């Protein structure tokens, strides 16, 4: 049966001489793998360069509930990204966020709220002309809401410590070593209380940004089984630094 769905490219893997398998987070079916025959041929109907990480798609697909690898009938980039593929900062941000999403989003079932958040955030980044240096920090904080471990905001703005293991704010130092302390807690709280529209007003220096991203990745690793290490943030730090 044919279905229309929007999608977000997570990963494309070469298959044979001319084909690829692409993992797409779809609005209708969650994370799915699709075989695209002939994608590497010069005149391919669905070309490999249409399947770059975090590219946004309109798709017509064949879907079998018991199928491991699905098929695509029609595909187009929609909306077509205007700046992310060509801007070194935006493309580095996209590479980092793509690696996080690939490790964090596993469900093969629809989650329209999560899909809408990621799709809209990519669109926002593509259109934005300034104030994107902290985008990835806010993205990770907001993403945690849809993954089930969004920080408990009770005492946010009043507490000096944030417990990474339990996702809670405290006035006194937690018993574990997994926490944020001043001034990092206050900077984290500022981000927690921000949105993409006003993130340009959040002022962080490069050292603080590096520290917070390392702690946010630690937070993710504590709450997502098998999350492992993220490598692309080192490239991102070089670009932003």
């Amino acid at each position: 049966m044919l279905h229309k769905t929007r999608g977000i490219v997570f990963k494309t893997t070469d298959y044979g001489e001319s084909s690829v398998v692409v993992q797409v987070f779809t609005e209708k079916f969650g994370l799915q793998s699709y075989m695209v025959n002939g994608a590497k041929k010069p005149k391919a109907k669905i070309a490999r360069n249409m399947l770059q990480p975090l590219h946004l798609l309109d798709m017509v697909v064949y879907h079998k509930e018991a199928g491991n690898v699905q098929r695509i009938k029609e595909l187009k980039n929609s909306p077509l990204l205007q700046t992310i593929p060509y801007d070194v900062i935006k493309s580095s941000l996209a590479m980092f966020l793509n690696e996080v999403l690939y490790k964090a989003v596993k469900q093969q079932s629809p989650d329209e709220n999560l899909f809408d958040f990621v799709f809209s955030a990519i669109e926002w980044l593509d259109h934005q002309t300034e104030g994107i240096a902290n985008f990835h920090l806010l993205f990770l904080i907001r993403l945690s809401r849809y993954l089930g471990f969004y920080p408990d905001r009770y005492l946010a703005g009043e507490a000096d410590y944030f417990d990474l293991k339990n996702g809670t704010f405290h006035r006194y130092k937690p018993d574990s070593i997994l926490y944020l302390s001043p001034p990092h807690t206050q900077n984290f709280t500022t981000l927690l209380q921000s949105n993409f529209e006003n993130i340009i007003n959040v002022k962080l220096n490069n050292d603080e940004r590096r520290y917070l991203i390392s702690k946010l990745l630690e937070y993710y690793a504590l709450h997502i089984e098998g999350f492992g290490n993220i490598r692309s943030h080192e490239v991102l730090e070089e670009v932003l630094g």
Side-chain angles (χ1 to χ4, degrees):
M1 184 178 291
L2 287 171
H3 302 266
K4 290 184 177 181
T5 184
R6 293 187 298 166
I8 304 165
V9 178
F10 274 12
K11 185 178 182 179
T12 302
T13 305
D14 290 341
Y15 184 86
E17 291 187 6
S18 61
S19 301
V20 299
V21 174
V22 57
Q23 289 184 282
V24 180
F25 183 49
T26 70
E27 183 175 26
K28 201 165 186 176
F29 305 110
L31 188 63
Q32 297 291 327
S33 295
Y34 295 95
M35 175 70 73
V36 184
N37 293 324
K40 292 187 283 183
K41 291 183 177 179
K43 296 182 179 181
K45 182 180 178 182
I46 300 175
R48 200 185 196 287
N49 64 6
M50 300 170 70
L51 305 171
Q52 298 301 310
L54 296 193
H55 274 34
L56 308 177
L57 309 174
D58 263 345
M59 311 165 68
V60 178
V61 300
Y62 299 95
H63 186 78
K64 294 181 179 179
E65 288 297 333
N68 290 324
V69 180
Q70 311 285 356
R71 296 276 178 175
I72 300 172
K73 183 177 188 293
E74 299 174 16
L75 178 149
K76 65 178 179 179
N77 295 122
S78 180
L80 185 65
L81 298 181
Q82 301 296 318
T83 64
I84 290 175
Y86 313 107
D87 181 297
V88 65
I89 293 177
K90 290 185 179 184
S91 60
S92 298
L93 283 166
M95 180 174 66
F96 168 73
L97 297 179
N98 178 245
E99 187 178 0
V100 170
L101 286 165
Y102 180 70
K103 292 190 172 189
V105 177
K106 303 294 186 183
Q107 61 264 43
Q108 291 182 308
S109 57
D111 187 335
E112 291 187 7
N113 291 329
L114 171 58
F115 181 90
D116 285 340
F117 165 72
V118 177
F119 199 97
S120 297
I122 297 167
E123 284 189 295
W124 184 90
L125 177 62
D126 194 51
H127 293 148
Q128 195 67 10
T129 57
E130 58 182 352
I132 61 172
N134 298 319
F135 172 80
H136 56 309
L137 298 171
L138 182 56
F139 182 94
L140 290 193
I141 293 172
R142 289 295 180 92
L143 178 64
S144 71
R145 179 191 297 274
Y146 303 95
L147 300 177
F149 52 94
Y150 187 67
D152 183 344
R153 293 177 58 156
Y154 178 66
L155 293 183
E158 302 175 30
D160 284 335
Y161 300 92
F162 178 71
D163 183 337
L164 294 167
K165 188 174 181 180
N166 296 304
T168 51
F169 287 92
H170 299 271
R171 291 192 174 96
Y172 304 101
K173 189 181 295 185
D175 292 333
S176 78
I177 60 171
L178 304 169
Y179 61 84
L180 293 175
S181 57
H184 311 298
T185 306
Q186 287 71 29
N187 290 327
F188 179 73
T189 300
T190 299
L191 285 164
L192 188 62
Q193 296 171 340
S194 300
N195 54 48
F196 290 129
E197 284 65 38
N198 64 22
I199 195 174
I200 192 172
N201 299 319
V202 178
K203 305 301 181 184
L204 299 174
N205 62 40
N206 288 333
D207 288 340
E208 181 60 26
R209 196 177 291 118
R210 287 191 184 97
Y211 183 84
L212 283 177
I213 198 61
S214 70
K215 288 300 180 181
L216 275 168
L217 292 175
E218 193 174 316
Y219 185 52
Y220 267 63
L222 284 167
H223 294 276
I224 299 175
E225 186 177 353
F227 185 74
N229 294 320
I230 298 293
R231 299 175 181 176
S232 54
H233 77 97
E234 296 171 1
V235 176
L236 179 58
E237 287 171 6
E238 288 288 329
V239 172
L240 292 176

